[in-house]
Amino acid sequence: MALQGRAGECGTLREFVRALHGGLGGALMLVGDPGSGKTALLEEAVTGASGLRVIRVAGVEAESGFPYAALHRLLIPVLPLASTILPPDGLRALHAAFGLAGDPPSGPEPVVRAVAALLDGLAVECPVLCCADDAHWFDRESLAVLAAVVRRLPGVAVAVVRGGRMPTRGAEGGRPGVGLILAAREVPAGWGRFPVLEVAGLGAADGAALLRSVVAGPLDALVAARLVAGTGGSPLALIDLGRELSADQLAGARSLPDPLPAGSRIEEFHLRRVRELPEDTRTWLLIAAAEPGGDIARIVAAADRLGIVPGAAGSAVAAGILTLGVTAVFRRPLARSAIYSGATGDRRRAVHAALAAVTGPSGDADRWAWHLAGACAGLDETVARALAGAADRACERGGYAARAAFLTRAAELTPGAGRAERFLDAAEAALVAGAPLQARRLAEAALQANTPFSVRRPAHTTVATDTPLPVRRPADTTVATDTPLPVRRPADTTVATDTRPAAPRSAHTAPEEGSPQPVWRPEGGAGGPRARQVAGEPGAGVVRGRAMLVEAGAVGLSGRAAAYTEGSLICREAARAIGEREPRLARGALLEAVEHLIRAGNAGPGTGLAEIAEAAARPPGSGGTARASGDNPTARVDGPFEDGATSGTAVVEQQLRAFGTLVAEGWAAAVPEVRRAVGMLLAPDVPDDVVVRRHLTAATLSALLWDSGVERAVWRRVVRTARRSGARFPLVTGLYGAADAAARVGDVAAVRESLAEAERVCAEIGVRPRPDGLTESAEGAVAQALGRGDYRRARVLAGQVVAADVLGTHARMLPDLVEAAVRSGDPETAGTALARFTGLAEAAGTGWALGVLAWTRALVAGAGEAEPLYRRAVALLAEAGARADLARAHLLYGEWLRRRRRRRDARDELRRAASMFEAMGARGYAERAARELDAAEGAGGSLTPQELTIARLAAAGATNGEIAARLFLSANTVDHHLRKVFRKLDVTSRRRLPPV
């Protein structure tokens, strides 16, 4: 099987071997870091070569001081043939150099001549390929001889690598060549003139593919990307980590440590080098490895605090392990990983304590808290509180992955019932960061921690998220001291709860270890995901409810069928579990139930739509009645809100009110509430966290306003905020929403840009692009059917979508249903759909809505009423900038005119429609417009095939003479046909010929 990501290198090796068959020879050096794959490439060269004599050797560190040791081992397989090839003096020179005779060595020159003659003699029958691995362990004498041999072998030229290719042919009819492929970590002395093939780390895609080939279970895309980046794409490190990391770590359910692990074999290589250094230097290196930013002043201060003598880093610099400047930089990132993970827990804690002391809360509060945690050997609420503060600051910066990491560590150090609270906060942050498996593990830890036993349980046994690697080493530390200092801001979702209880929860009783665990299922017997049940004391319902919300979010990200419907059921049950104890949290759970239904596409039977609407009208904590919208002081579209900031609570309540009104009273009553909800989301003072997590309902319902400026502004706000905060799952949602909004106004460039970015982000976070659903596929099918004129099928498909659209989020399909019903002879369905759409369009009251309503009414209007409606539609839609619906209006108006034999007017409308649809990439509608245009142009008499050909050439700018020459006609005949074409198409010159 071909090596992953090494197509270029393998191609170069094949060209090198092919050159040997053609009489060329020389040397090629493979140079790369340990674990980069040099040995695998040598193996590929050997196994892929045929018709060669291959001689192989690998350097041995213990023999690097013995002259000619490597050369001797290379030639051992062919030494028995030396007596038949070499003259006596050459044989004596080899034997003396190898210590096989009593004669003293005679110097390097006779050895060079003997080795060159031996290899040349071996190449009489077939090419000779020498492969030298680990040449950095070769003795100097062997390297010098081999370099001289390659330069002077008869008929051998030094091959040059250009563009990754070797010359493929030598002298015609020449004898086979001799080649040497040498693999080393760096170019040996005296080998500078020979071509070098750099063996670098694998790229992101190839590294992830290599990981997938060795990982038996699931592999999270973000985990794979981080491992590839952290190892520099080292194939050996990736293979080791794919086998040594736990399944939870590889699947994204547990955090990876910082520094990232190096893999056992790479780690052992680096540690071997470090063990040769003085003790103070080793400690200095450990301090540098524990300080993620490499701040030289902080490292030096910590070293001084630990009594390390000044200048201790000099030996490490001389050994090539790191470079010093403003920061300390390890020359190989994996060296940092190996040094940190190779230290004992006690040494790491001492180093972190020193770094915390010299950092201080006033220097870098977040890093200070992290080093304090790394120094802990047990539970410590003070340190946990500092970590929680760092998590809050990370949240303000939008660093959801950082927040999850800080809170996880804080929870592990929390001695009391507050541990469950922090684990839940960490789980919610992990869910927003796009790590559903990790979120689930943390939620389970919260449920388990909400027991009387959690106080006595050691912190690191609650949930082991960050044990140092490699995993073959037992977890010898009392607490997990290797959680990464978070710097990455990956994906997120929009399902995290809006508020978090501030006070610690009481402890509660959990089932005994090993006993069957009760599971939660939605009411009514519907199957659901498992969640450990905690009951019996105050606060248990809140903990359980928050854990359910995390579970609902994880289910929604699973991508399986009916996941969002199931998630909505879980959210409703979570709202019940939380109840009146945390009203704001319960209202957030209800809104999440709505969001899941929106993602599901339609709210059919069994989804509890009416129940959610009723609960939204009487949310927990409202005293059983909902406030009227006018009673809400923050329910304004323009300007800042009276309380100085748009709170998450106000946003949640307004969106619930808008949704409840939509379900209970219909579109007309809901439009004002939707406007208020959208206005809140666009307010300049609304926090980023609220926009990221609470946008879906208002943004989706904004389509009911039929205001392209507002709708696109909402999605732009979501996309911009998600990008800035690193919220990548909401970024996907926002990009798809922005693409849909752009498509509705015919902005093709914006559609393509948004979809391309959405697919790219989906690939990065490992979710499916645009989940397939009945509604989306049906909408596309309706457009295709209308484009090809299959009105009966369009009516059936559009009717199915409209009938299932209890939420009203697919009201755009109503005009399609009217057209399909009119054209397929179903006036009753057309009338019903028009009545429904009329209420929505008049409630919205925008030029866009009223323009679409005008051409929808024109479809069912009488002959005397239709034309003013079509003209009104064109005027309103042109002013609104709704290009897609404007093109539709031109098409329908042109069709109406053609059927009334108003050819010239019809052609004008249809040409505009065809041109607009072509520009928007609406192929089905463009073809329909072209068919209608052809019919309109041929209304005065159909063009013959000859006339059609001549007309097309003339419209393209060809002269009569050029047309005559091309069609083998006379110029007079062409002129005759053109006159007939002009009459049939009712034009007076070729400049007025329509484009065909």
Side-chain angles (χ1 to χ4, degrees), residues 15-98:
E15 298 291 348
F16 183 83
V17 171
R18 191 177 298 122
L20 298 182
H21 286 285
L24 285 177
L28 176 64
M29 287 183 292
L30 307 180
V31 177
D33 287 342
S36 59
K38 302 183 298 295
T39 301
L41 283 169
L42 279 178
E43 188 66 30
E44 182 76 8
V46 171
T47 57
S50 60
L52 294 179
R53 181 191 293 272
V54 179
I55 310 172
R56 305 177 63 176
V57 70
V60 177
E61 183 178 8
E63 295 182 353
S64 60
F66 296 98
Y68 300 116
L71 182 63
H72 181 203
R73 289 194 299 109
L74 174 67
L75 297 179
I76 282 176
V78 297
L79 276 180
L81 301 175
S83 59
T84 64
I85 296 173
L86 297 179
D89 57 342
L91 195 58
R92 281 196 301 272
L94 283 186
H95 286 172
F98 299 157

Side-chain angles (χ1 to χ4, degrees), residues 496-725:
T497 57
D498 180 59
T499 55
R500 299 176 178 85
R505 301 296 164 206
S506 303
H508 305 285
T509 306
E512 294 182 2
E513 197 75 7
S515 63
Q517 304 297 327
V519 298
W520 168 83
R521 295 184 182 279
E523 290 185 4
R530 295 191 174 189
R532 194 185 302 271
Q533 188 177 23
V534 181
E537 294 191 23
V542 174
V543 172
R544 187 166 71 97
R546 290 181 65 188
M548 288 178 190
L549 292 177
V550 172
E551 181 68 24
V555 167
L557 288 176
S558 68
R560 65 174 183 261
Y564 289 128
T565 302
E566 183 180 353
S568 180
L569 292 170
I570 300 172
C571 290
R572 285 195 291 123
E573 184 63 20
R576 293 194 194 98
I578 296 167
E580 298 291 334
R581 189 172 298 276
E582 290 284 354
R584 292 186 302 169
L585 184 59
R587 290 194 289 271
L590 283 175
L591 185 60
E592 288 189 28
V594 173
E595 292 169 350
H596 280 275
L597 289 182
I598 289 173
R599 290 192 182 94
N602 278 309
T607 57
L609 179 65
E611 180 184 352
I612 295 174
E614 182 181 355
R618 297 176 176 79
S622 64
T625 59
R627 291 182 299 176
S629 59
D631 298 334
N632 183 6
T634 66
R636 297 183 299 165
V637 178
D638 302 316
F641 299 115
E642 292 181 5
D643 59 1
T646 309
S647 69
T649 302
V651 170
V652 168
E653 288 181 350
Q654 182 57 40
Q655 292 191 32
L656 281 175
R657 185 178 297 110
F659 172 79
T661 304
L662 173 65
V663 174
E665 302 178 41
W667 294 321
V671 165
E673 300 294 348
V674 173
R675 283 202 181 99
R676 293 188 181 94
V678 171
M680 283 189 173
L681 208 62
L682 290 175
D685 56 354
V686 65
D688 283 358
D689 188 52
V690 175
V691 174
V692 165
R693 297 187 296 126
R694 294 304 183 205
H695 68 269
L696 186 61
T697 300
T700 303
L701 296 183
S702 68
L704 299 178
L705 301 178
W706 288 79
D707 186 327
S708 62
V710 169
E711 184 183 6
R712 299 187 76 179
V714 171
W715 288 116
R716 279 197 301 268
R717 177 73 180 272
V718 172
V719 169
R720 187 167 57 247
T721 305
R723 281 201 195 107
R724 181 171 62 244
S725 63

Side-chain angles (χ1 to χ4, degrees), residues 602-996:
N602 278 309
T607 57
L609 179 65
E611 180 184 352
I612 295 174
E614 182 181 355
R618 297 176 176 79
S622 64
T625 59
R627 291 182 299 176
S629 59
D631 298 334
N632 183 6
T634 66
R636 297 183 299 165
V637 178
D638 302 316
F641 299 115
E642 292 181 5
D643 59 1
T646 309
S647 69
T649 302
V651 170
V652 168
E653 288 181 350
Q654 182 57 40
Q655 292 191 32
L656 281 175
R657 185 178 297 110
F659 172 79
T661 304
L662 173 65
V663 174
E665 302 178 41
W667 294 321
V671 165
E673 300 294 348
V674 173
R675 283 202 181 99
R676 293 188 181 94
V678 171
M680 283 189 173
L681 208 62
L682 290 175
D685 56 354
V686 65
D688 283 358
D689 188 52
V690 175
V691 174
V692 165
R693 297 187 296 126
R694 294 304 183 205
H695 68 269
L696 186 61
T697 300
T700 303
L701 296 183
S702 68
L704 299 178
L705 301 178
W706 288 79
D707 186 327
S708 62
V710 169
E711 184 183 6
R712 299 187 76 179
V714 171
W715 288 116
R716 279 197 301 268
R717 177 73 180 272
V718 172
V719 169
R720 187 167 57 247
T721 305
R723 281 201 195 107
R724 181 171 62 244
S725 63
R728 298 173 80 179
F729 191 80
L731 176 58
V732 171
T733 304
L735 288 168
Y736 279 129
D740 290 340
R744 282 192 270 274
V745 295
D747 189 343
V748 180
V751 171
R752 290 173 178 167
E753 182 180 350
S754 295
L755 291 180
E757 185 178 357
E759 291 175 4
R760 185 168 61 251
V761 178
C762 283
E764 291 172 359
I765 65 178
V767 300
R768 290 188 312 168
R770 184 83 78 156
D772 295 328
L774 168 66
T775 308
E776 289 178 1
S777 61
E779 286 177 345
V782 168
Q784 292 176 6
L786 287 173
R788 64 175 178 267
D790 188 352
Y791 299 111
R792 189 177 301 276
R793 175 169 173 75
R795 183 196 65 191
V796 172
L797 293 174
Q800 291 174 347
V801 175
V802 169
D805 185 26
V806 185
L807 292 178
T809 54
H810 300 288
R812 293 277 314 173
M813 297 286 286
L814 288 169
D816 294 336
L817 181 57
V818 172
E819 180 186 358
V822 168
R823 297 287 174 85
S824 60
D826 187 355
E828 183 178 351
T829 298
T832 302
L834 176 59
R836 291 182 63 185
F837 182 63
T838 299
L840 175 59
E842 291 179 343
T846 64
W848 187 7
L850 296 177
V852 174
L853 178 60
W855 64 248
T856 307
R857 281 175 168 166
L859 287 167
V860 300
E865 301 174 352
E867 186 165 14
L869 289 170
Y870 280 126
R871 289 180 175 176
R872 173 176 167 78
V874 169
L876 288 172
L877 293 170
E879 183 179 356
R883 287 181 55 81
D885 284 307
L886 176 60
R888 190 91 167 267
H890 283 303
L891 172 62
L892 294 171
Y893 187 23
E895 291 174 337
W896 183 87
L897 289 169
R898 188 183 74 79
R899 282 155 181 78
R900 279 146 189 82
R901 301 182 180 278
R902 294 168 57 181
R903 292 176 292 148
R904 183 173 297 178
D905 293 337
R907 287 197 298 269
D908 290 341
E909 297 297 328
L910 293 171
R911 284 171 194 158
R912 292 191 188 99
S915 176
M916 294 176 72
F917 284 129
E918 284 288 350
M920 289 184 286
R923 184 173 302 172
Y925 280 113
E927 291 175 354
R928 172 175 155 185
R931 289 194 303 270
E932 289 286 336
L933 185 58
D934 285 343
E937 290 170 341
S942 301
L943 297 182
T944 66
Q946 184 85 298
E947 291 168 349
L948 182 59
T949 301
I950 291 173
R952 284 174 171 160
L953 292 171
T959 66
N960 285 6
E962 291 170 341
I963 297 173
R966 184 166 178 175
L967 300 181
F968 302 98
L969 300 173
S970 70
N972 288 336
T973 302
V974 171
D975 182 73
H976 171 72
H977 283 302
L978 274 177
R979 291 175 187 274
K980 292 172 63 177
V981 168
F982 292 164
R983 286 196 301 273
K984 289 182 178 181
L985 298 185
D986 194 21
V987 297
T988 57
S989 71
R990 68 177 63 222
R991 288 194 302 272
R992 294 182 63 94
L993 285 171
V996 181

Side-chain angles (χ1 to χ4, degrees), residues 265-313:
R265 288 177 286 182
I266 299 292
E267 178 183 313
E268 183 57 33
F269 160 74
H270 287 293
L271 290 181
R272 218 170 36 239
R273 299 180 67 198
V274 172
R275 291 189 193 107
E276 299 172 355
L277 301 174
E279 175 65 24
D280 278 2
T281 303
R282 296 202 299 270
T283 303
W284 202 99
L285 285 172
L286 180 58
I287 298 170
E291 170 51 42
D295 188 309
I296 191 69
R298 196 171 291 164
I299 295 170
V300 169
D304 180 67
R305 189 175 183 86
L306 291 175
I308 305 301
V309 297

